[in-house]
Amino acid sequence: GLGGVAPDRRRVFRDPILGWPYRHDSPARHTGIGPTEIETAMKPLFETARTVVRRLILDDAPRLVALDSDPEVMRYINGGLATPLHVMEKKLVDWTSGYDAPKPHGFWAIDLKSTNEFVGWVHLRPDRLQPEFDELGYRLAQAFWGMGLATEVARAMVEHTM
């Protein structure tokens, strides 16, 4: 999987600057986020037969960078260029800002249910050209291409948001 180790959903903290959850081993970074907030942050948006779709957190940034560092994944997006970590961390702020909106929108992580491996992401947001319509998109690591996971998650996202 990307980023080596599967996400540990047990230790989640709130970033003191950005204000959104992350996992970190340093107790100095813990800012008193309560169990209810942790459960909300890590509660899956939905599950499919093979995946868990959950909120992105700061610890996902290296996994997202690894995903975007694969030239084949990025081939038709930007010609195969990688996304630097500092850029991805800034993107995460925008990508996660709509989670608690009346009509949630943003980017969510896709994890393989059987192994907790990071598969990629799925997004739902207002279309850039026709904002009255929603745009559904996804990006998966090559190791998960051709397995029907994108279709499975996309169908579930549509069902979840209807």
Side-chain angles (χ1 to χ4, degrees), residues 101-114:
K103 183 181 177 188
H105 60 276
F107 289 65
W108 288 268
I110 304 169
D111 293 331
L112 199 60
K113 193 184 287 187
S114 61

Side-chain angles (χ1 to χ4, degrees), residues 3 6 11 15 17 19 25 30 35 42 55 63 71 82 92 117 122 128 131 142 144 148 161-162:
R11 290 192 59 144
D15 184 279
I17 297 168
D25 291 336
H30 182 46
M42 296 311 292
R55 291 179 177 213
R63 292 176 191 90
L92 274 169
E117 286 179 275
V122 60
R128 292 177 184 162
Q142 263 194 87
F144 300 101
T161 58
M162 298 302 274

Side-chain angles (χ1 to χ4, degrees), residues 10 12 30 32-42:
R10 293 170 292 177
V12 178
H30 182 46
I33 180 173
T36 304
E37 291 178 84
I38 292 171
E39 290 167 9
T40 300
M42 296 311 292

Side-chain angles (χ1 to χ4, degrees), residues 3 17 21 23 26 32 39 54 56 61 68 79 83-85 90 92 97 103 126 134 137 141:
I17 297 168
R23 290 179 303 274
S26 170
E39 290 167 9
R54 61 169 176 81
L56 286 164
D68 283 8
T83 304
L85 181 60
K90 289 179 183 174
L92 274 169
S97 64
K103 183 181 177 188
D134 287 333

